[in-house]
Amino acid sequence: MKSFILLLLWPSLVSSTPTIAQCGSEARRPKLDDISVECGTTDIKLAIQLCPVVYTGYNESLLVMNHMMNQDCRATLDESVSPPVARFVFSLNSTNACGSTFRYTSSTGVGFFEDFSNIQNVNISGIIRSLDLSKGTITYNAEIKYYYSCAYPLQYLVNNTQIDVSGSSIAIRDKNGTFLSTLNLNLYTDRTYSTLLKMPSSGIELRTNVYAEVAATNLTSQYHVLLDRCYASVSALPANSSTFDLLFSCSKDKSTTIVNNGDSQIARFFFPAFRFIEQENENISTYYLHCITRLCERSTCSSFKVCAGARRRRAVKEFDPDSLYTLTSGEIVIQPDTPITSAHVDDTKASSSSVGLGVAVGILATICIIGVIVGAVFYKKIRN
């Protein structure tokens, strides 16, 4: 009777799980690599080799995630792959993550982030265990445990992811994920942020407002976008390049206007177009926009917007583009200053003017000499 009631409560126990005979050579004890983890931007996906589970005395219906019995947190059998797997998928939202543990850690930034004393990371972890339905004093089924873990950094540079022991089979799989693919840096033409700025080949005029936006798409609503530092650099790779800070922590350039920062999944600001002085002799001035961007959990964003004292800006360091999470804005091209046109004088007229001036000077000199001689003679007669 007890078994009958349990089947009513757990109807999926009647499944099409393959038998040991059907598993063939895959019917074996569990191994470390029997679980795979995909750390996505909106959810985490787990896949567990099913034949070792069957060999140990269970099926996909008897694998339970974090003691959660609701249907959304249950495994589904996938026989489209060989060997078949049990799949789990759950959201990264902490209120709907099938009992997963969200652990936030802070550390002092290094490299690009050494200006910041509080760099956050989130680790999302949990356990999938076998449910033994054996009744009585003993069981012949070993307990299976699958531990999973995904680590996500929450700060990015945006410029435009295990043991097998007797009596208990344990698989541990840690993996790193990134939310970088959800982040985009775009430039717009006006404050409505509806029309992308298409940079003309001749550039834009000085003091033209450039509207910048860092937005997250397809990202769990648990996180907001907070700009820690945005700056321009002459080079697309800012190391060994002139830079200019538009905003940094709680301070900003007087010409920068912050529209929204840390209050949603979109951060916006704008600034008037300028030139780098070192490019004054070039036809156009070209530079790039970079933003160090933090993803903060909604309830903690406000704490990162509180100024805790001045932070010293450090020079932008060299980095390996393949090892950092980087995007870059397109070129910002500024029109040249209005050219100064030199006046050209007609050679013929210039020559005539020079001749005329020479004759006039000669006549004047002659008159002066005659005057001096006459004065000398007159003075001599008076004395005699």
Side-chain angles (χ1 to χ4, degrees):
M1 179 62 70
K2 290 182 179 179
S3 297
F4 176 71
I5 294 174
L6 184 58
L7 286 174
L8 289 178
L9 295 174
W10 209 308
S12 61
L13 291 179
V14 180
S15 69
S16 58
T17 303
T19 63
I20 292 179
Q22 291 173 324
C23 284
S25 61
E26 295 298 327
R28 53 170 174 74
R29 290 175 59 82
K31 293 181 180 179
L32 176 65
D33 57 358
D34 284 345
I35 180 173
S36 64
V37 181
E38 181 180 337
C39 302
T41 59
T42 59
D43 52 38
I44 291 177
K45 298 177 182 179
L46 311 175
I48 298 174
Q49 296 292 328
L50 195 57
C51 284
V53 174
V54 173
Y55 179 85
T56 313
Y58 305 97
N59 59 33
E60 78 280 359
S61 300
L62 296 174
L63 296 177
V64 181
M65 177 184 290
N66 301 314
H67 304 287
M68 303 293 291
M69 300 299 186
N70 52 305
Q71 189 63 36
D72 292 339
C73 299
R74 300 282 300 284
T76 58
L77 175 62
D78 183 359
E79 295 184 285
S80 65
V81 295
S82 181
V85 297
R87 297 193 184 278
F88 292 84
V89 180
F90 62 90
S91 169
L92 290 181
N93 192 316
S94 60
T95 61
N96 185 29
C98 293
S100 298
T101 300
F102 283 65
R103 185 169 61 90
Y104 292 88
T105 59
S106 297
S107 60
T108 301
V110 296
F112 251 94
F113 307 118
E114 66 179 353
D115 292 311
F116 306 98
S117 59
N118 191 1
I119 302 300
Q120 274 198 319
N121 296 273
V122 59
N123 183 276
I124 304 169
S125 61
I127 181 174
I128 298 172
R129 309 176 71 150
S130 56
L131 178 65
D132 194 344
L133 299 181
S134 300
K135 302 302 176 182
T137 306
I138 65 170
T139 179
Y140 291 98
N141 298 326
E143 182 182 25
I144 304 177
K145 297 178 183 178
Y146 297 98
Y147 291 91
Y148 62 88
S149 174
C150 280
Y152 293 86
L154 294 182
Q155 193 146 343
Y156 302 90
L157 174 63
V158 182
N159 296 318
N160 216 3
T161 110
Q162 300 163 339
I163 304 169
D164 189 5
V165 299
S166 177
S168 179
S169 297
I170 304 174
I172 302 175
R173 182 53 57 91
D174 296 329
K175 198 167 184 180
N176 292 329
T178 174
F179 294 123
L180 179 69
S181 63
T182 71
L183 298 173
N184 292 282
L185 170 58
N186 289 311
L187 304 179
Y188 292 86
T189 59
D190 57 45
R191 198 162 186 166
T192 65
Y193 289 87
S194 57
T195 304
L196 288 172
L197 175 59
K198 295 182 179 179
M199 201 64 60
S201 59
S202 60
I204 59 177
E205 293 183 3
L206 287 167
R207 297 187 180 88
T208 300
N209 280 336
V210 177
Y211 296 83
E213 175 187 87
V214 176
T217 55
N218 298 321
L219 177 67
T220 173
S221 60
Q222 186 172 345
Y223 300 103
H224 285 177
V225 171
L226 176 66
L227 303 180
D228 274 329
R229 181 186 183 187
C230 290
Y231 61 96
S233 70
V234 172
S235 170
L237 301 179
N240 301 322
S241 169
S242 295
T243 63
F244 175 72
D245 278 317
L246 296 164
L247 64 91
F248 183 86
S249 183
C250 299
S251 63
K252 65 180 182 65
D253 179 70
K254 62 182 180 180
S255 298
T256 300
T257 301
I258 297 175
V259 179
N260 183 39
N261 192 21
D263 301 316
S264 68
Q265 294 195 338
I266 295 176
R268 290 170 171 171
F269 67 96
F270 63 90
F271 59 93
F274 55 87
R275 295 173 61 95
F276 278 91
I277 293 177
E278 69 181 68
Q279 296 180 332
E280 63 183 350
N281 294 324
E282 299 180 13
N283 289 334
I284 56 176
S285 177
T286 302
Y287 49 89
Y288 300 82
L289 180 63
H290 314 269
C291 285
I292 293 177
T293 304
R294 181 193 304 272
L295 294 178
C296 51
E297 205 278 330
R298 288 180 300 180
S299 63
T300 65
C301 284
S302 58
S303 63
F304 293 108
K305 293 193 287 184
V306 176
C307 291
R311 295 184 299 185
R312 181 170 60 88
R313 292 177 179 84
R314 294 180 174 89
V316 180
K317 293 189 174 182
E318 186 66 71
F319 65 88
D320 178 2
D322 296 326
S323 66
L324 274 179
Y325 311 116
T326 59
L327 295 175
T328 182
S329 76
E331 292 181 337
I332 299 176
V333 183
I334 309 301
Q335 288 182 356
D337 295 330
T338 303
I340 300 175
T341 304
S342 300
H344 294 281
V345 180
D346 183 81
D347 291 340
T348 302
K349 293 181 179 179
S351 178
S352 299
S353 298
S354 298
V355 172
L357 180 61
V359 172
V361 171
I363 294 173
L364 181 60
T366 302
I367 292 173
C368 290
I369 293 171
I370 294 173
V372 171
I373 294 173
V374 171
V377 172
F378 182 72
Y379 175 74
K380 187 175 180 181
K381 286 183 177 182
I382 291 176
R383 292 193 64 182
N384 293 331

